[in-house]
Amino acid sequence: MALPLPPGLTPPEIAFLCEMEMVTVVPRQRLEGLELLGGPTKPLHPPHRASLPLWLALLLKRQRRANILPPPWFHPNALTSILDLERNKTDQFSPPPSLPTPAPGATTTSPPFLLSSTADAPEGALPYHWLELGEILLDAAPDDIVEPDTVRRLMRDLREVRMAKMRAGVVVLDGSGMVGLKGVGGMEVGEGRAFISGVVDGLRRIGASREQALREREAEERDDVYGDGTGDGDEMDL
């Protein structure tokens, strides 16, 4: 008998979705275009850059057929600036990349199909899959990253600061179940879901017990003021 899964996506499932993010590669060999489910890829011609899904870029990297260009926000200077912003603004997260304006009649694009992790991505905005994408690149392509040890430390600090901010936002809840998550990444939501939902459910139970106690107290006060009516009825009969 299979055990019931918790609600929402698990961390491995979130990392799987992250592998559909588009990244920039510099091919080492010529490669013809491929017909993928997400659409055809352009032919690769060294040393011209190209955008590929992360899973395909990792495959070419392991085969030593391409190098991966980290996105601008994955540079130590950019991560330092974002970390300073996170520490200075204790009530909100760093702003995510702006969504492109869809053409008339076109569908709206959302992560992981936004070009927020390519070499042309904005420098000061963390994309939705920033955490899992950074961990994958640090594990699979550390030689393509500028100062990988510094980047790894900055990523760890960013994760701790943002998780602490999420917990602080849950602490001030009044039981309404509202938590501001603008700018929070996919893996952060997956990791904090159990904590947030547990706190919200606990606050709701506390609020319900307080309301029940208040109703019982009001009922007792009404009984003390009006009595049960037995004595008054006997006097009227006499």
Side-chain angles (χ1 to χ4, degrees):
M1 179 178 178
L3 297 177
L5 294 176
L9 297 176
T10 61
E13 292 171 338
I14 298 174
F16 174 79
L17 293 177
C18 172
E19 292 187 359
M20 292 187 286
E21 286 272 357
M22 299 296 291
V23 296
T24 302
V25 300
V26 178
R28 293 183 176 182
Q29 301 176 1
R30 296 174 62 91
L31 181 67
E32 298 297 328
L34 301 175
E35 293 290 338
L36 304 178
L37 292 177
T41 64
K42 296 181 179 180
L44 302 182
H45 300 286
H48 300 289
R49 299 178 178 181
S51 295
L52 296 176
L54 177 61
W55 67 267
L56 180 56
L58 295 174
L59 177 62
L60 296 178
K61 175 64 178 179
R62 285 194 292 266
Q63 296 175 351
R64 299 183 180 181
R65 303 173 68 181
N67 290 338
I68 301 177
L69 284 180
W73 56 264
F74 206 54
H75 193 274
N77 294 338
L79 289 175
T80 301
S81 300
I82 297 174
L83 180 59
D84 293 338
L85 180 63
E86 292 283 356
R87 287 172 172 171
N88 294 332
K89 294 185 177 182
T90 58
D91 57 341
Q92 58 182 340
F93 297 90
S94 58
S98 57
L99 297 176
T101 303
T107 57
T108 303
T109 305
S110 62
F113 305 105
L114 293 175
L115 299 180
S116 56
S117 298
T118 61
D120 299 326
E123 185 180 75
L126 294 177
Y128 185 68
H129 290 291
W130 72 273
L131 181 56
E132 50 272 39
L133 178 64
E135 292 179 349
I136 291 174
L137 291 180
L138 286 171
D139 181 62
D143 54 323
D144 293 336
I145 301 173
V146 179
E147 301 179 20
D149 294 335
T150 303
V151 169
R152 186 176 286 104
R153 176 181 57 81
L154 291 171
M155 290 281 291
R156 182 179 63 251
D157 294 343
L158 261 175
R159 183 177 186 177
E160 294 175 354
V161 170
R162 289 166 65 91
M163 287 302 294
K165 196 177 298 185
M166 286 182 61
R167 294 188 181 96
V170 175
V171 169
V172 299
L173 285 175
D174 57 355
S176 61
M178 300 296 293
V179 183
L181 298 179
K182 182 179 179 179
V184 178
M187 188 64 72
E188 294 171 303
V189 174
E191 292 177 347
R193 178 182 288 109
F195 171 76
I196 294 176
S197 60
V199 172
V200 172
D201 291 342
L203 291 174
R204 286 176 178 172
R205 287 194 296 269
I206 293 175
S209 62
R210 289 178 178 175
E211 184 177 357
Q212 181 64 26
L214 179 60
R215 290 178 179 177
E216 294 176 355
R217 190 182 309 112
E218 291 176 350
E220 293 177 357
E221 292 176 354
R222 286 195 300 269
D223 292 342
D224 293 339
V225 172
Y226 298 105
D228 57 2
T230 304
D232 295 342
D234 294 342
E235 292 179 359
M236 291 179 64
D237 292 340
L238 292 174

